[in-house]
Amino acid sequence: AQSVAQPEDQVNVAEGNPLTVKCTYSVSGNPYLFWYVQYPNRGLQFLLKYITGDNLVKGSYGFEAEFNKSQTSFHLKKPSALVSDSALYFCAVPKDTGFQKLVFGTGTRLLVSP
Amino acid sequence: GAVVSQHPSWVICKSGTSVKIECRSLDFQATTMFWYRQFPKQSLMLMATSNEGSKATYEQGVEKDKFLINHASLTLSTLTVTSAHPEDSSFYICSAGLSRDLPDTQYFGPGTRLTVL
């Protein structure tokens, strides 16, 4: 079964510092990987996706993610965190070959302190 | 970008009553929509796939008679929680994709918080 794991419930980082939110995956076949962000009282927003091609994927709000096949990871990164980046982050993978059903990780809460 | 709305944003109801939640794609047609449930501090769990003009398909363990889904048009799907009980209290989220077969992004509604007293 397709799955993703987010090993950290929470990540704390100071504003201006780089941030990393971890995600590892377990899939059969080619991996298609997504990152979403959920702000309080708002719906999930798409950040970026990996389908094929470059291992470094650039997304919205200055975020990027690095696909690492050997480590089966797809960590979300940002060079300089903002307080406004504080939110809940989910990585996801399609449940099956239909692509549209998503299986989400457990989420990682990012807290950026001033 | 594509916008998905949900109504209501929150609802409180008495145990035993039914609650209807609407999900609308505002600027695109969605032949398929998805309903998720999110528990506090937990991930989103896919409940069912809503297909326009046909019956919804439910994930294993989800009671189809409990969670009635109707996809009446290309822009509207509804989830009715029938005979709601306190354990049904949760955050319900819908989503829609733009393409049926491609590894696509999902566009999510803002969610509906249901509290059953």
Side-chain angles (χ1 to χ4, degrees):
Chain A
Q2 314 286 77
S3 67
V4 288
Q6 294 180 246
E8 302 158 316
D9 290 338
Q10 183 166 309
V11 171
N12 298 308
V13 64
E15 187 173 33
N17 285 356
L19 68 88
T20 299
V21 182
K22 296 179 180 178
C23 174
T24 57
Y25 65 89
S26 175
V27 302
S28 56
N30 294 324
Y32 300 105
L33 300 159
F34 301 82
W35 274 103
Y36 288 86
V37 60
Q38 185 179 35
Y39 297 102
N41 301 315
R42 293 172 63 179
L44 271 74
Q45 297 178 32
F46 168 75
L47 280 178
L48 50 81
K49 64 183 176 184
Y50 173 83
I51 305 299
T52 186
D54 291 341
N55 290 341
L56 186 63
V57 179
K58 294 189 180 298
S60 306
Y61 313 122
F63 284 92
E64 58 190 24
E66 185 173 9
F67 172 71
N68 188 315
K69 188 174 183 178
S70 62
Q71 297 185 4
T72 62
S73 66
F74 189 56
H75 300 333
L76 181 70
K77 299 182 179 184
K78 188 173 183 180
S80 179
L82 300 172
V83 173
S84 58
D85 293 330
S86 299
L88 190 56
Y89 291 81
F90 292 96
C91 66
V93 63
K95 183 177 182 182
D96 51 36
T97 55
F99 297 124
Q100 290 196 332
K101 294 183 182 181
L102 292 175
V103 175
F104 287 87
T106 51
T108 298
R109 185 164 299 281
L110 174 66
L111 291 179
V112 182
S113 56
Chain B
V3 178
V4 175
S5 70
Q6 281 185 242
H7 178 80
S9 55
W10 59 270
V11 57
I12 301 173
C13 70
K14 293 181 179 180
S15 184
T17 61
S18 295
V19 174
K20 180 183 286 188
I21 301 170
E22 293 186 348
C23 176
R24 293 182 185 272
S25 55
L26 297 184
D27 49 3
F28 66 100
Q29 294 183 332
T31 55
T32 305
M33 292 182 175
F34 302 89
W35 287 95
Y36 293 85
R37 183 172 178 176
Q38 184 179 26
F39 295 93
K41 298 183 179 180
Q42 292 190 21
S43 181
L44 283 76
M45 181 193 76
L46 178 64
M47 299 175 63
T49 303
S50 173
N51 302 295
E52 189 269 338
S54 64
K55 291 184 178 180
T57 54
Y58 291 82
E59 297 300 306
Q60 189 174 7
V62 178
E63 300 177 61
K64 60 181 180 180
D65 295 330
K66 174 74 162 176
F67 300 99
L68 299 179
I69 292 173
N70 182 274
H71 198 141
S73 74
L74 289 173
T75 59
L76 174 64
S77 175
T78 61
L79 168 68
T80 301
V81 183
T82 62
S83 187
H85 291 285
E87 58 265 29
D88 299 323
S89 298
S90 193
F91 196 53
Y92 293 88
I93 301 172
C94 71
S95 73
L98 290 176
S99 175
R100 187 185 296 274
D101 298 319
L102 296 176
D104 203 283
T105 55
Q106 293 283 304
Y107 294 92
F108 288 81
T112 296
R113 183 162 302 283
L114 170 62
T115 301
V116 185
L117 303 177

